[in-house]
Amino acid sequence: MNRASQNLAHCLAQFPPIVRLRLLAFMHLVEYPDTMRASLEVTPSGSMRLTLDTEVVPDTAHRH
């Protein structure tokens, strides 16, 4: 399990900061759905946009 965690951390470190932030927001939505609002927009061409928002104010160590 420790090795799997290290591999996951290494993979995540390869992503740009905005991608890591988006993944974190999605994981927060899955873990704490009551604190998040999600809206999904789908255009006629098939493109999608998922917008996540929270009213929980992060402490200063977690602001991006």
Side-chain angles (χ1 to χ4, degrees):
M1 190 66 183
N2 191 23
R3 184 70 176 156
S5 294
Q6 290 174 351
N7 286 340
L8 181 58
H10 176 74
C11 290
L12 289 175
Q14 303 304 310
F15 291 121
I18 189 66
V19 173
R20 291 192 306 258
L21 183 60
R22 289 174 180 158
L23 287 171
L24 179 63
F26 183 75
M27 291 185 326
H28 188 87
L29 172 65
V30 171
E31 292 179 12
Y32 306 103
D34 294 343
T35 65
M36 299 288 289
R37 287 190 307 256
S39 63
L40 179 64
E41 300 172 36
V42 181
T43 65
S45 66
S47 66
M48 294 185 286
R49 169 178 270 177
L50 175 63
T51 304
L52 303 174
D53 191 18
T54 182
E55 293 187 12
V56 175
V57 178
D59 65 32
T60 56
H62 294 101
R63 291 189 183 204
H64 301 276

